[in-house]
Amino acid sequence: MDLKITGGTVVTASETFRADLAVHRGRIVDIGRRITAPADRTIPAKGCYLLPGAIDVHTHLDMPFGGTTSADDFETGTRAAAFGGTTCLIDFAIQSKGQSLAAAVDAWRQKAEGKACIDYGFHVAVTEATDQVIDELADLVRLGVTSFKVFLAYKGALMIDDGAFFKILRRARQVGALTMLHAENGEVIDVLVSEARAAKLREPIYHALTRPEECEAEATARAIRLAEMAQAPLYVVHLSCFGALEEVKLARDAGLPILAETCPQYLLLDLERYREPRFGGAKYVMSPPLRHKSNWPVLWDALAGGDLQVVATDHCPFNFKGQKDLGKKDFAAIPNGAPGIENRLQLIFHEGVNKKRISLNRMVDLLAASPARIFGLGPRKGSLAIGADADVVVFDPKAPFTISARTNHMNVDYTPYEGFKGRGRVVTVLSRGKVIVDGRKFLGLPGAGQFIKRKRFGQ
Ligand code: URP
Ligand code: ZN
Ligand code: ZN
């Protein structure tokens, strides 16, 4: 046997129990009260949880956007992810205008190959849905790319219209894929942004004020109706507010296959951040924007109760100096997105589990089991079970942390969570049986991460 982890507490989405865990050739080969068989290496884990490697289904690495490119590439981004206990991610390959979807995936494979330190898959963001592109969806599913994202916002850039969205929903359902949605009404936002600019309103707070909650709620409601007409499942990304959540709840109560994620920033940061002095509000410019904090308990309750199924990061980092300042004179020119790939597990553990908003098992469900199930990564990923990939996080629930850009590993000059304190630290991380994080040391290798061919939705 290659390795065993002894004396820890195994945590899955449904169980918590004291056990040793054995690994051979990259797979979990045994989980038992006491494993006595010899191993080449033993990792003691007394007092620690053994968690399945977290899965981040919403990242933007090396993505051209807003006149610049997100600051983490597949090497720096996946290394930072690993430090945060994430062992698999799904990034968005973005279709450029005139490009086939296969070419978009190829472009993203080139960004990832030789660089990714953890396993990865791709969704494709469809930005131009010609008949040819719609025909391609089946080919992509055969390649293991089984989810497609559409944007109802970012007019003039990524946004598509309702007709194109409907065609994608219908074809995705036929070929066994899941359609993902950025739900904001891009037309209305375009009007509000133009009016704000005309009135010379330039500060970052106007990013939030020109993208009101109603824009998200309306787009969510409309998308659910379109999905219903297409008899298709729909996954709403980065849901941020009560109004959108109400639409998801209504649909789910009616038995429709509507799924939704939220992100730590919508649970922990509020729109007052946009008023930080000296252009500091730009650090939080993302879409949807941060909301009023009255939304936080509503979202936590939905995570606990099952109306939201996933916490992902929407990691899309831009440096404060040199990137965010493209919008110093105009909030609408600030590149949209913020870093978060490294801090999700510690934040959700401390703010969620330690503060009793969600259970420990529910946390594992939200960060690992559900993402694996929804996005066709199981049974290899998302759980600690015999035969699964040995993607394991040894996690010390008592160890204190203070988040800072100085100690984070992401390739970006700030964190929205600067100074956040709590308890719960990643100690060791295994990726397919190899130790890639050992305390503060990174032992992973660029290029060791593999492309994971995902199953069809619901299989
Ligand atoms: O502001 C954000 N969220 N940037 C990334 C692109 C997206 O909308 O997911
Ligand atoms: Zn989005
Ligand atoms: Zn995103």
Side-chain angles (χ1 to χ4, degrees):
M1 175 195 318
D2 292 335
L3 182 151
K4 62 181 173 180
I5 308 175
T6 58
T9 297
V10 169
V11 186
T12 69
S14 54
E15 290 177 292
T16 307
F17 53 97
R18 243 281 303 119
D20 295 347
L21 184 148
V23 174
H24 193 59
R25 295 200 176 145
R27 300 279 173 125
I28 298 173
V29 291
D30 198 4
I31 299 176
R33 184 87 192 148
R34 193 149 177 271
I35 297 175
T36 50
D40 294 346
R41 177 170 181 189
T42 299
I43 298 176
K46 194 153 180 272
C48 289
Y49 294 137
L50 308 189
L51 309 175
I55 298 170
D56 193 345
V57 298
H58 191 154
T59 67
H60 301 280
L61 300 175
D62 205 353
M63 177 173 89
F65 195 42
T68 183
T69 300
S70 60
D72 269 313
D73 66 9
F74 272 82
E75 183 173 338
T76 61
T78 56
R79 190 173 61 213
F83 272 111
T86 290
T87 54
C88 183
L89 58 79
I90 312 181
D91 202 79
F92 289 92
I94 314 280
Q95 177 200 21
S96 314
K97 298 289 175 210
Q99 196 183 35
S100 71
L101 302 184
V105 172
D106 260 7
W108 250 258
R109 276 189 104 134
Q110 280 171 36
K111 290 172 192 273
E113 275 169 12
K115 284 193 165 181
C117 308
I118 60 171
D119 292 347
Y120 58 92
F122 299 122
H123 320 281
V124 180
V126 185
T127 63
E128 208 172 42
T130 60
D131 289 347
Q132 217 175 347
V133 165
I134 298 290
D135 281 348
E136 262 198 283
L137 298 181
D139 303 335
L140 288 192
V141 168
R142 281 191 284 277
L143 291 176
V145 175
T146 55
S147 42
F148 307 108
K149 181 178 180 185
V150 301
F151 294 86
L152 294 181
Y154 305 125
K155 188 174 175 188
L158 304 174
M159 183 169 129
I160 63 167
D161 63 29
D162 288 354
F165 176 33
F166 178 69
K167 284 188 195 167
I168 293 166
L169 279 163
R170 204 173 44 186
R171 188 67 185 140
R173 188 253 303 160
Q174 288 164 350
V175 299
L178 178 62
T179 305
M180 305 166 78
L181 170 73
H182 176 125
E184 286 185 296
N185 185 319
E187 294 287 353
V188 172
I189 289 167
D190 195 53
V191 172
L192 297 178
V193 169
S194 301
E195 287 172 358
R197 278 171 140 172
K200 303 216 175 343
L201 304 171
R202 298 285 153 89
E203 291 77 27
I205 182 69
Y206 292 102
H207 173 73
L209 300 182
T210 55
R211 306 182 88 98
E213 293 184 13
E214 291 81 354
C215 275
E216 186 180 342
E218 184 280 331
T220 307
R222 177 164 35 107
I224 288 170
R225 285 287 161 264
L226 292 172
E228 193 178 7
M229 282 188 261
Q231 297 178 357
L234 177 70
Y235 177 97
V236 182
V237 300
H238 50 43
L239 187 145
S240 73
C241 63
F242 170 79
L245 179 64
E246 282 301 290
E247 301 298 341
V248 169
K249 276 188 183 172
L250 275 174
R252 290 176 62 79
D253 289 348
L256 297 175
I258 308 297
L259 303 157
E261 77 179 19
T262 190
C263 311
Q265 53 270 33
Y266 302 117
L267 297 162
L268 302 171
L269 305 172
D270 77 342
L271 88 171
E272 290 309 312
R273 297 263 171 171
Y274 293 112
R275 299 190 196 277
E276 274 187 16
R278 292 179 295 283
F279 190 59
K283 291 185 274 183
Y284 313 96
V285 167
M286 63 186 79
S287 296
L290 300 178
R291 305 298 193 186
H292 189 272
K293 62 182 176 197
S294 55
N295 288 286
W296 297 348
V298 179
L299 296 180
W300 280 111
D301 284 351
L303 289 172
D307 283 316
L308 294 173
Q309 296 77 41
V310 174
V311 178
T313 63
D314 193 12
H315 177 73
C316 189
F318 297 105
N319 285 300
F320 184 60
K321 288 208 176 65
Q323 293 191 291
K324 287 287 187 184
D325 50 18
L326 289 169
K328 199 128 198 184
K329 296 203 174 98
D330 174 9
F331 71 89
I334 301 169
N336 280 211
I341 205 166
E342 187 168 355
N343 304 121
R344 178 179 57 144
L345 171 56
Q346 65 192 142
L347 286 169
I348 298 302
F349 179 75
H350 185 72
E351 297 291 334
V353 179
N354 284 348
K355 296 194 176 173
K356 306 210 179 314
R357 290 160 164 151
I358 55 171
S359 72
L360 182 59
N361 304 100
R362 183 66 184 147
M363 180 192 79
V364 170
D365 203 8
L366 293 164
L367 302 187
S370 274
R373 191 173 53 248
I374 294 169
F375 289 97
L377 291 162
R380 280 183 67 180
K381 307 284 186 195
S383 189
L384 297 179
I386 291 171
D389 283 358
D391 293 352
V392 186
V393 176
V394 180
F395 187 82
D396 181 348
K398 296 272 181 318
F401 69 79
T402 304
I403 294 178
S404 171
R406 284 189 306 283
T407 46
N408 271 341
H409 301 83
M410 298 175 283
N411 186 37
V412 60
D413 60 2
Y414 79 97
T415 161
Y417 306 102
E418 188 70 41
F420 266 62
K421 290 182 193 312
R423 285 190 187 275
R425 279 185 89 108
V426 169
V427 179
T428 307
V429 179
L430 269 61
S431 166
R432 277 181 284 103
K434 295 260 178 307
V435 176
I436 59 168
V437 172
D438 186 6
R440 290 175 205 272
K441 285 201 296 279
F442 187 68
L443 304 176
L445 286 176
Q450 292 178 357
F451 172 74
I452 305 285
K453 214 173 150 186
R454 293 184 289 121
K455 292 194 215 153
R456 287 174 161 78
F457 178 70
Q459 286 192 344

